Amino acid sequence: MVLDGEKEMPLVPRDLSHQCTFSEKEKNQVMSLRTWSESQESLRFKSFFRKLIDIKPVFQFFNLACQLVAKQFLLKENCYVLKVWDGTRPSCQTYCVAEVKEDAWTASSELEEKTRGWTADVHLYDDHVEEARALDVGSFICINNVQVVVKVCL
């Protein structure tokens, strides 16, 4: 379960499939963690943003501000694959964990040409599929908790 880390935010899971209630003790524990995390420089939200050029196998999860270049729905996996870029060339080649059809992308040919070799593939599953369906190619988006599967570091 993922909760917002800001002190003033309500205790509502970000994942819409979870419905729960918190005891007073649990609420106090969450508030204590939020207070502690605010005091930790390395845990501040901005420090989790990375650029594609900074991708290394050691980064487990990070946030990415990027532009959506193309997207494709994979029925068998019930996921969307997004091709994204942030203006930097990825330092590692990312690996698409699902089989995509090269002729099935929803894309802007102009944007694809401009970003060839500068994109990374991001897979969105579960509750995020509907959000991905609504995204327009060319939109600027922030993706939280990205985990990249690295194929080759350049």
Side-chain angles (χ1 to χ4, degrees), residues 47-63 91-92 146-150:
S47 69
F48 287 117
F49 273 93
R50 300 283 186 250
K51 294 202 171 280
L52 294 176
I53 198 168
D54 297 326
I55 293 175
K56 305 261 186 297
V58 296
F59 287 146
Q60 292 296 318
F61 293 91
F62 60 94
N63 298 329
S91 59
C92 296
V146 175
Q147 182 179 25
V148 174
V149 179
V150 175

Side-chain angles (χ1 to χ4, degrees), residues 21-33:
T21 57
F22 294 96
S23 69
E24 282 305 311
K25 181 180 178 185
E26 291 168 327
K27 289 178 184 178
N28 290 334
Q29 287 175 322
V30 171
M31 291 307 294
S32 293
L33 283 169

Side-chain angles (χ1 to χ4, degrees), residues 33-146:
L33 283 169
R34 286 176 170 176
T35 301
W36 174 82
S37 70
E38 275 190 353
S39 70
Q40 305 300 306
E41 179 64 34
S42 64
L43 296 180
R44 297 228 169 100
F45 187 73
K46 65 182 179 184
S47 69
F48 287 117
F49 273 93
R50 300 283 186 250
K51 294 202 171 280
L52 294 176
I53 198 168
D54 297 326
I55 293 175
K56 305 261 186 297
V58 296
F59 287 146
Q60 292 296 318
F61 293 91
F62 60 94
N63 298 329
L64 180 66
C66 56
Q67 185 175 23
L68 178 60
V69 174
K71 67 181 184 176
Q72 183 174 148
F73 180 69
L74 305 176
L75 184 61
K76 183 178 174 185
E77 290 81 7
N78 190 33
C79 82
Y80 260 95
V81 179
L82 308 181
K83 280 194 179 299
V84 299
W85 84 305
D86 65 0
T88 66
R89 184 182 300 267
S91 59
C92 296
Q93 183 180 0
T94 59
Y95 178 70
C96 191
V97 296
E99 189 174 330
V100 296
K101 296 177 182 171
E102 287 307 315
D103 61 346
W105 291 100
T106 300
S108 155
S109 55
E110 179 183 336
L111 192 53
E112 273 191 309
E113 185 63 35
K114 179 180 177 182
T115 62
R116 190 173 317 279
W118 290 63
T119 61
D121 295 326
V122 176
H123 298 73
L124 299 180
Y125 296 92
D126 303 325
D127 295 344
H128 307 291
V129 168
E130 287 306 312
E131 294 174 35
R133 182 173 282 122
L135 293 174
D136 293 323
V137 170
S139 298
F140 291 90
I141 57 178
C142 287
I143 307 173
N144 296 319
N145 296 322
V146 175

